[in-house]
Amino acid sequence: MSHQDDVFFRTFIAVLAILGIAAIGFYTVAQMVTGDTGANPEYDQHVQNAVNERIKPMGSVVLVGEDDPAAAAAPAAPAAPKSADEIVSTACAACHTSGALGAPKIGDKAAWEGRMANGIDGLLKVAIAGKGGMPPRGGAQVSDAELRSAIEKMLKDSGIAVAAAAAPAKSEPAATAQPAAAPAPTPAAPQPKAPETPAAVATVTGTPDAPAPDVRNLTQGKKLYSQTCAACHASGIAGAPKVGDQAAWAGRISQGMDALYEAALKGKGAMPPKGGAAHLGDNEIKDIVAYMADSSK
């Protein structure tokens, strides 16, 4: 090998060594800058956790009972009991303020004392079963406790101490106890036809001499009827025309709606003003009358 060749070979080896050292240096610097070791499971898991946290859903929907069977099986909370004032005003006043069918009037102490042979328990028993013209529970959907509270209120308003009333005396048939509460029974009469207007508001025509239409809310009338008037107009108590009885209503309807409204508002025969529902407004009473008339044509 000549001297020139030896110099070239040494120079080539030196360049390769420098390039190798430079490559190792660049790789080391790159690892230090990026922090990537290439084989660090903890670091990789940390990165994955951060990614998962950023892409997780904002929330989730869980159906009751899907993850908690006990919650699905839990019964709904019971409705709050009706007050004695509410029961008396909506279900009892119609008969017990007018004395219809011999019902003892509220405030008539002597009439109530004559029915206290078996105490308040006897009155409650009669009210639950019904007697004479009074249907079971006065035609209302109430519990025994609610019915008893209504009877106690009427006794108090009649000047009779409830504590004394609770003590039974001699055995004697108890008389008419007090009708109870609000959502009254389904009438036994034929089912009324549905209102023809989309908003359940019907137009009830009056007499031929009254050209102006009388627009009434039959949906509201039906609801209020079941709460206040069904006790008499579903069974015909005291001569009240049954809802759905066309023959009974024909003569009344022929007199015009204004006459029917006036009779309902002012009272007629055994029916007290507004049917005993003094808490209702005039238009609400008219809605009830319109519903009963429209369902009895």
Side-chain angles (χ1 to χ4, degrees):
M1 176 182 297
S2 65
H3 177 72
Q4 184 177 1
D5 292 336
D6 182 65
V7 171
F8 174 80
F9 179 78
R10 291 176 179 275
T11 302
F12 179 77
I13 294 299
V15 170
L16 289 179
I18 293 172
L19 292 176
I21 293 172
I24 293 173
F26 286 139
Y27 177 78
T28 302
V29 171
Q31 292 293 92
M32 293 175 63
V33 172
T34 62
D36 185 9
T37 62
N40 189 342
E42 293 183 359
Y43 176 82
D44 293 341
Q45 185 62 45
H46 172 74
V47 173
Q48 186 62 46
N49 290 342
V51 173
N52 291 342
E53 181 67 23
R54 293 192 177 209
I55 66 173
K56 74 177 182 179
M58 295 295 293
S60 61
V61 177
V62 179
L63 297 177
V64 175
E66 181 178 322
D67 296 329
D68 187 2
K82 300 178 180 66
S83 68
D85 287 336
E86 179 184 359
I87 296 170
V88 172
S89 64
T90 58
C92 309
C95 294
H96 286 279
T97 57
S98 62
L101 299 178
K105 291 185 179 181
I106 298 174
D108 188 343
K109 183 176 181 180
W112 285 98
E113 285 179 338
R115 292 166 167 80
M116 293 304 301
N118 294 320
I120 192 171
D121 291 333
L123 288 178
L124 177 62
K125 183 177 181 180
V126 171
I128 291 174
K131 185 176 182 180
M134 184 182 71
R137 298 181 186 274
Q141 298 177 356
V142 291
S143 66
D144 291 358
E146 290 171 329
L147 185 56
R148 185 186 183 99
S149 71
I151 296 173
E152 290 177 349
K153 173 172 174 53
M154 290 190 293
L155 290 173
K156 287 181 179 179
D157 291 345
S158 300
I160 298 176
V162 174
K170 61 181 180 179
S171 175
E172 185 178 309
T176 309
Q178 181 50 34
T186 303
Q191 291 294 327
K193 58 187 178 183
E196 297 178 355
T197 57
V201 178
T203 300
V204 182
T205 57
T207 63
D209 297 332
D214 180 29
V215 180
R216 289 291 152 202
N217 188 330
L218 298 188
T219 299
Q220 175 172 268
K222 179 180 180 180
K223 178 181 178 181
L224 295 175
Y225 159 80
S226 67
Q227 297 175 353
T228 59
C229 305
C232 294
H233 285 279
S235 58
I237 291 178
K242 291 183 179 181
V243 173
D245 187 340
Q246 296 181 3
W249 281 90
R252 293 172 168 85
I253 294 175
S254 66
Q255 298 175 14
M257 294 304 298
D258 288 340
L260 288 178
Y261 294 152
E262 183 176 4
L265 292 171
K266 296 183 178 180
K268 186 175 182 180
M271 182 182 71
K274 293 188 176 182
H279 62 288
L280 296 180
D282 289 359
N283 283 328
E284 292 174 315
I285 295 296
K286 290 181 179 180
D287 287 341
I288 296 173
V289 174
Y291 162 75
M292 293 192 293
D294 189 68
S295 300
S296 305
K297 292 180 178 179

